[in-house]
Amino acid sequence: MYNEAIIIFCIMLWILIVTGAYFFGALSNVGDKFLLGSKKISSAPVYSFYIGIFGLGAFILAPFGLTFPNGDIMTLCLISGLLFTVGITFLYFAIERAEASRVMPVFGAVIPIVSFILASIYGVENLTTLQILGVALLVFGGLLISFDLPLKLGKRKFFSGFYHACAAGFVIAVAYLIFKYIADSGEPFITWYIWTRVGGLIGAIGLLLVPSWKKNIFNSFLSAKKNKKNAAKTGGIFIGNKLIGGISTLMLNYAIQLGSVTLINALVSLQYVFVLAIVTILSRTRANVFQEKLLFWDWAQKVAAIAIIAVGMFFVY
């Protein structure tokens, strides 16, 4: 009985940690939408630029084991970090233009689809029948949440930002595969984590190559200088939001040590449910920011799509 009680306690603790992790992840997603939708941060490239700069904070971990890897690994670290910045820029474009409760499930569904397709092409692994079924369910669930039902001829079929969400999922999936390769090469976590953040900084600087984005980024500096009070408030929200995202990541990593990675990945749909619930509540007072539709059939469509994506995630992993 005593051993059974310990097992039940550990299971309950694991469930609470995973649920908390996805709740904090949802809060971070909603925070992203608030900052972009309310124009407290003027555009997706500006947001990505500051996140690239913020990533240098990883150097606080340097005393705990930073090393200089060989040239090939260093190059992969910088490339993957750069790709990550490109991916989140696409994601923020999607969040800026569309409902967060649609963007995140599509983004989350594309990542495993691309990962497994690329892994199969390069012979890293072969898909089982269940994994192929899982990919099919991810595609179906992603499409279901993307359509405005009922479909009408002559109307745009996908939500605004759909293609940006797909592009974000594709690029982030490639970045994750490179992360995985670097980690499997035996490099210490702190080493490759910090150097990928440097790659993210390079990606952020690369945003300045687009004239309109460069103008927006520099305008954000000028605006912050002119209105320091608002800049401090926005900066506080930004940093708080990134810390919440960091807490989510730490909780997920701890949950992986306690339980099943497969179940953790499948339960990511909890985050989408939390996003849907939070933005639905906030849209009653911030309709101009969150743009959520509150009709019953819109809810039913999104919940059904999230459930299908959850099953697809379970089969894929």
Side-chain angles (χ1 to χ4, degrees), residues 129-142:
T129 302
L130 277 180
Q131 286 174 330
I132 293 172
L133 175 60
V135 169
L137 289 173
L138 288 173
V139 172
F140 179 70

Side-chain angles (χ1 to χ4, degrees), residues 16-33:
L16 286 173
I17 292 171
V18 173
T19 302
Y22 285 131
F23 176 73
F24 284 119
L27 285 178
S28 182
N29 295 153
V30 174
D32 293 335
K33 178 63 181 179

Side-chain angles (χ1 to χ4, degrees), residues 45 207-221:
L207 296 173
L208 298 174
L209 296 176
V210 180
S212 60
W213 297 356
K214 178 181 177 181
K215 181 179 179 181
N216 287 338
I217 290 168
F218 279 101
N219 282 344
S220 71
F221 292 146

